């Protein structure tokens, strides 16, 4: 019984994979909110959360995004029209892991409509599309593709354990000199990790603290 259920999901994923293209992508949700993290924290932004992720972070707070076949397929022009209708100026493409897909037509459509294109990615595949801002947030669960190091405008490291500071420095040494560096506590470990981050940033001022302020504001 269980194996036939898994088999049905796998069959659905294959079917969906065949239909995904640069024009048509799986959309988990889209919404207009305030960017809560990193360099653009506090700016109004339209979030486009694509379905599908093969990174597998144990602490992932959007595990429902992992299965691309669980999310409806949308044409990129429809996504753009919804973003434009929000009145926002920035479109943040996130996931899931958006770089699993060819994003060239989505970014072209968004930019043609006058929107800034921002992406949040773990950088595990080469990044397609035209981006005004790339937020690179590597994860220990899958090695990033080296092409992302020169492209990242912002490096955001999620601190889950005290050993993550040394891991963060490995990436800080690889990104370009103009890349902004952020340390952000993993939400469930915030009480434990935030004091360590504060001390670390005071001793290593090339870094900045990033907090998920949207969670304090009770907005998505
Ligand atoms: S890369 Fe993002 S969506 Fe994928 S498992 Fe990690 S936190 Fe979740």
């Amino acid at each position: 019984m269980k194996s036939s259920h898994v088999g049905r999901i796998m069959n659905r994923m294959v079917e969906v994979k065949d239909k995904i293209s640069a024009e048509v992508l799986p959309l988990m949700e889209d919404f207009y909110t305030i960017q809560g993290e990193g360099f653009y924290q506090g700016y109004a932004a339209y979030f486009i959360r694509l379905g599908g992720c093969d990174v597998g972070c144990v602490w992932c707070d959007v595990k429902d995004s992992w299965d691309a076949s669980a999310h409806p397929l949308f044409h990129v022009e429809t996504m753009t029209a919804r973003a434009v209708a929000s009145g926002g100026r920035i479109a943040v493409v996130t996931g899931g892991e958006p770089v699993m897909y060819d994003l060239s037509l989505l970014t072209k459509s968004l930019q043609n409509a006058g929107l800034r294109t921002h992406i949040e990615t773990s950088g595990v595949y080469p990044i397609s599309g035209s981006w005004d801002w790339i937020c690179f947030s590597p994860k220990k669960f899958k090695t990033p593709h080296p092409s992302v190091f020169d492209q990242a405008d912002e490096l955001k490291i999620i601190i889950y354990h005290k050993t993550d500071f040394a891991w963060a420095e490995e990436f800080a040494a690889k990104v370009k000199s103009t890349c902004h560096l952020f340390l952000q506590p993993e939400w469930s470990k915030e009480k434990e990790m935030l004091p360590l981050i504060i001390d670390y940033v005071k001793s290593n001022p090339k870094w900045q603290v990033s907090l998920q302020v949207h969670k304090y504001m009770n907005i998505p």
Side-chain angles (χ1 to χ4, degrees), residues 93-133:
V93 178
T94 185
E97 181 39 82
V99 297
M100 290 172 73
Y101 306 117
D102 178 352
L103 301 169
S104 55
L105 295 185
L106 176 59
T107 53
K108 189 175 176 195
S109 170
L110 291 166
Q111 287 180 332
N112 284 347
L115 289 158
R116 279 181 62 86
T117 55
H118 293 196
I119 188 170
E120 308 221 338
T121 178
S122 63
V124 288
Y125 301 109
I127 303 171
S128 56
S130 168
W131 298 99
D132 295 304
W133 192 262

Side-chain angles (χ1 to χ4, degrees), residues 53 55-57 59-60 62 65-66 95-97 122 139:
C53 182
V55 178
C57 306
W59 42 259
C60 177
V62 282
S65 71
W66 291 6
E97 181 39 82
S122 63
K139 305 295 186 310

Side-chain angles (χ1 to χ4, degrees), residues 33 187 212-220:
T33 187
W187 182 247
Q212 295 180 294
V213 298
H214 53 294
K215 296 195 175 177
Y216 295 96
M217 292 188 272
N218 285 319
I219 55 174

